[in-house]
Amino acid sequence: MALHWKIVIGMVAGVIFGFVMTFFDWGSSFVSDWVLPIGTIFVRLLKLIAVPLILASLIKGISDLKDIAKFKDMGLRTFGLYMMTTVVAIFIGLGLVNTFNPGNGISEETISSLTDTYASDSGVTSKIATASAQKEAGPLQFVVDMVPDNLFAALSNNGLMLQVIFFAIFFAISMLLIGEKKAKPIKQLFDTLNDVILKMVDLIMLFAPYAVFALLSSVVVSSNNPELLVALMKYSFLLVFGLFVMILFYMVLVKFVVKKNPFWFIKQMSPAQLLAFSTSSSAATLPVTMERLEEHVGVDQEVSSFVLPVGATINMDGTSVYQAIAAVFISQALGFDLTLGNQLTIILTALLASIGAAAVPGAGMVMLVIVLESIGFPSEKLAIGLALIFAVDRPLDMCRTVVNVTGDATVASIVAKKLNKLHDPKPKNWDDHLDAIKK
Ligand code: ASP
């Protein structure tokens, strides 16, 4: 059976199991004590290999380049396309929210019951605190933050992926400059390291169907009061619809720019999308996104090793759709009038916010605070605003992460196509060499 079907079965079984568990008083603690750890171990394994994979594959990718000018070309195209897709995402979000006005129908009672339940929830207050810490940084701080001052510190923190990328590029270019002969031993080391880590991805993925079972059952048992969710139905549907439009947009790009069948593309990428949904983290999904794109879509590693990790950190189209819709929804519901100028500010800050958002669960909400503040939303009402959408944020986070990951994969395929780096895929299996080590 294909991997994506196994994962889908695991997900469905997890949702049913979680739902059954909600009928028992002990159900929720049973799931968090005995089931969730399986999912947590899986996510930890993926995060464990993310940094070594970026380092090895990026050094391998760049040191394979025969022509260094290609790298500049690839960099410019990547940034250009990332900006373009993000702007499209924000426009889709703003267009939908201004057409359907989901915030206007929210009653006073709903607002006050959501405020009572969530405004002082640590989930909400911690997001506001993180946002204010981020906002204090100067305008160029994010560029400064890309440059590591200690390689080992960068390697030991999954949040510092851009620093690892910076080091890998710098190192690989210097490797090219010392000449092929001299660089050979170290090149072989990274080439092999890269193969070994991709094999680890194959092995970890054997475990994926069980892990998604655990992750989804835990999401179901910890979900919130269904009555409150109904009040947020219009907002949630609109956002999911916006995300769906984004996926259609990628499919059009795949069809007309990459010149591949978009359904085939989605099928090849589906294990990564399903994991993005289950883990809500594009950073944790990155190793799988890379493996699928290289081995199952056929994007050359020279391209994917650069475009994907950069995208996981700076390109979040799903999060951008969300920021546009959520910012306007909250303003509408709380009677904060938005001018055209405010909407233009949303475009700009949502663009910057999606670059600055970390690729972890809930990061989009932190950035939403910054977007709201940029349009002059009263700071004493921020907690109420976030409380409005908090109840549905986890499932929506799962959906927007799928779009974030698909967007990165689409851009990587376009860049590969343009640079003539798209080949026939050659999938590898975890047990290709098993016989040789079995007596
Ligand atoms: N969870 C998202 C991601 O990792 C970010 C967000 O929108 O919260 O891509």
Side-chain angles (χ1 to χ4, degrees), residues 118-326:
Y118 300 113
S120 48
D121 189 293
S122 62
V124 167
T125 48
S126 68
K127 301 247 157 49
I128 297 177
T130 318
S132 75
Q134 284 198 12
K135 222 186 43 187
E136 260 151 40
L140 284 184
Q141 190 58 38
F142 80 99
V143 186
V144 175
D145 286 341
M146 275 181 213
V147 184
D149 59 356
N150 182 326
L151 173 62
F152 296 95
L155 292 177
S156 61
N157 181 344
N158 279 0
L160 297 179
M161 225 126 77
L162 284 178
Q163 295 196 353
V164 177
I165 295 172
F166 179 92
F167 175 80
I169 295 172
F170 194 15
F171 187 85
I173 290 179
S174 306
M175 250 168 86
L176 286 173
L177 293 175
I178 63 170
E180 209 178 320
K181 215 167 128 224
K182 264 208 169 140
K184 202 170 168 203
I186 200 148
K187 172 142 181 53
Q188 276 176 340
L189 174 78
F190 280 108
D191 287 4
T192 315
L193 183 62
N194 172 62
D195 287 344
V196 173
I197 294 172
L198 281 173
K199 191 56 66 191
M200 291 169 94
V201 179
D202 289 341
L203 291 173
I204 295 171
M205 285 304 279
L206 294 176
F207 184 46
Y210 309 100
V212 294
F213 172 90
L215 291 167
L216 285 192
S217 62
S218 149
V219 169
V220 173
V221 291
S222 51
S223 70
N224 298 287
N225 181 348
E227 274 162 36
L228 289 180
L229 304 192
V230 173
L232 297 172
M233 200 83 111
K234 199 168 168 196
Y235 157 75
S236 310
F237 271 137
L238 203 62
L239 179 47
V240 172
F241 181 69
L243 295 175
F244 179 69
V245 175
M246 243 359 247
I247 297 277
L248 290 182
F249 172 63
Y250 298 140
M251 291 176 79
V252 170
L253 290 177
V254 169
K255 169 97 188 129
F256 294 104
V257 187
V258 186
K259 303 218 162 46
K260 291 266 184 198
N261 180 341
F263 294 100
W264 171 84
F265 176 78
I266 296 280
K267 190 168 157 211
Q268 303 308 309
M269 291 311 297
S270 57
Q273 293 170 318
L274 295 169
L275 282 194
F277 184 80
S278 309
T279 60
S280 260
S281 165
S282 16
T285 313
L286 180 64
V288 184
T289 318
M290 279 178 127
E291 192 258 357
R292 297 304 300 187
L293 202 69
E294 285 164 20
E295 291 183 11
H296 298 259
V297 175
V299 169
D300 200 296
Q301 194 175 31
E302 285 168 29
V303 175
S304 63
S305 66
F306 172 73
V307 183
L308 288 179
V310 169
T313 30
I314 71 163
N315 182 53
M316 298 198 180
D317 300 340
T319 306
S320 306
V321 177
Y322 157 76
Q323 261 147 9
I325 294 187

Side-chain angles (χ1 to χ4, degrees), residues 276 279-284 312 315-316 318-320 322-323 357-366 393 396-398 400-402 404-405:
T279 60
S280 260
S281 165
S282 16
N315 182 53
M316 298 198 180
T319 306
S320 306
Y322 157 76
Q323 261 147 9
V360 296
M365 204 183 223
V366 173
D393 205 59
L396 296 176
D397 189 0
M398 296 160 78
R400 58 190 195 244
T401 310
V402 174
N404 291 346
V405 166

Side-chain angles (χ1 to χ4, degrees), residues 57-82 165 169 172-173 299-310 411-421:
S57 72
L58 198 50
I59 291 178
K60 174 179 186 319
I62 298 177
S63 60
D64 277 343
L65 283 178
K66 296 283 170 293
D67 172 10
I68 212 159
K70 273 233 168 97
F71 183 64
K72 195 173 129 215
D73 193 12
M74 181 161 82
L76 291 176
R77 279 176 199 271
T78 304
F79 286 110
L81 285 165
Y82 278 156
I165 295 172
I169 295 172
I173 290 179
V299 169
D300 200 296
Q301 194 175 31
E302 285 168 29
V303 175
S304 63
S305 66
F306 172 73
V307 183
L308 288 179
V310 169
V411 168
S413 308
I414 298 177
V415 173
K417 175 79 188 174
K418 294 286 171 205
L419 298 180
N420 247 332
K421 298 275 175 197

Side-chain angles (χ1 to χ4, degrees), residues 2-18:
L3 177 63
H4 58 272
W5 287 121
K6 290 189 197 159
I7 300 179
V8 169
I9 293 173
M11 290 168 79
V12 174
V15 170
I16 297 173
F17 178 73

